Amino acid sequence: MPSRSQDAAGIVVPLRSFTLGKARLAAVLSEHERETLARSMAECVVNAAGNLPIAVVSSSSEVIAWAREHDYDVVDDPGSLDAAADAGRAWAISRGLSRYAVVHADLPFARSLDVVVTDGDALVAVIVPDHRDDGTPVLSLPSSVPFTFAYGPDSAARHADEARRRSLSVRILRDPALAFDVDIAADLEALDALRRTPAPTPTPTK
């Protein structure tokens, strides 16, 4: 196993598909429009990673081709978001990274992920709840600690509970740029207005 750097961190991006994703937007966007949106949001997320190593978790040929074109690592999709996050931890360990952040690919306002990877190997979980204060679009963890992921409704609270069960300190980061994910038609309706509004400063809370 590679030696672990105390400050090294990596970004894990589960991405099931460009063309088949965002099915809940099918009533308002064509398949081509959904693909274009998915690609543009994924580009925002990987660009926000800066120079950090990136693993894209996917089994989609189109996503794999995109990831390899950008020289990102590719991890086979085990079939669920929870399993993809766990595969991301295994990737981080294999790369000798002390920390990894699981970042959803549908964050159109993501500009930098630096704020969620500053803790190195400290026993700290950084949780960014989504704009509904429900899901977990960004979750940063030390790779040395096993973690049982629980994505889905109310996942932010469940992840906080799991972190405490693992004796991790929990930092809730309310960052509008990383919290806004696009899942339903109402999110699209808010997109243009939000793009014209400067994002507030992220607010960490306990």
Side-chain angles (χ1 to χ4, degrees):
M1 178 183 298
S3 61
R4 179 175 289 115
S5 170
Q6 184 176 3
D7 299 319
I11 304 301
V12 176
V13 183
L15 184 49
R16 180 65 57 83
S17 172
F18 288 132
T19 57
L20 301 178
K22 299 302 170 189
R24 285 185 287 178
L25 300 177
V28 292
L29 294 179
S30 68
E31 181 176 325
H32 174 71
E33 288 170 328
R34 296 198 308 276
E35 178 182 358
T36 300
L37 176 64
R39 284 182 179 273
S40 68
M41 292 191 295
E43 291 283 357
C44 285
V45 169
V46 295
N47 288 339
N51 293 323
L52 296 173
I54 296 170
V56 175
V57 184
S58 185
S59 295
S60 163
S61 59
E62 65 197 358
V63 174
I64 290 171
W66 170 80
R68 288 178 174 163
E69 179 183 344
H70 290 77
D71 292 325
Y72 305 139
D73 290 349
V74 174
V75 176
D76 188 57
D77 183 0
S80 73
L81 185 51
D82 292 343
D86 201 47
R89 175 178 177 255
W91 164 81
I93 292 171
S94 74
R95 288 286 302 260
L97 302 172
S98 62
R99 177 165 290 271
Y100 64 105
V102 181
V103 184
H104 291 186
D106 58 352
L107 308 179
F109 299 120
R111 295 296 178 268
S112 175
L113 296 170
D114 291 349
V115 70
V116 299
V117 294
T118 58
D119 294 283
D121 62 356
L123 299 181
V124 176
V126 182
I127 298 172
V128 180
D130 69 13
H131 60 294
R132 300 178 186 85
D133 203 24
D134 181 36
T136 317
V138 182
L139 174 59
S140 173
L141 297 162
S143 58
S144 61
V145 179
F147 197 87
T148 301
F149 296 95
Y151 285 99
D154 204 31
S155 68
R158 289 200 303 275
H159 286 145
D161 288 343
E162 169 67 3
R164 295 185 184 102
R165 188 178 76 84
R166 300 285 186 175
S167 299
L168 298 174
S169 298
V170 174
R171 184 163 73 250
I172 304 298
L173 182 64
R174 300 193 182 280
D175 184 338
L178 297 178
F180 188 86
D181 53 1
V182 177
D183 286 322
I184 59 177
D187 298 332
L188 287 177
E189 294 172 4
L191 205 51
D192 288 340
L194 287 170
R195 280 174 171 159
R196 293 192 296 268
T197 304
T201 302
T203 305
T205 58
K206 294 293 186 182

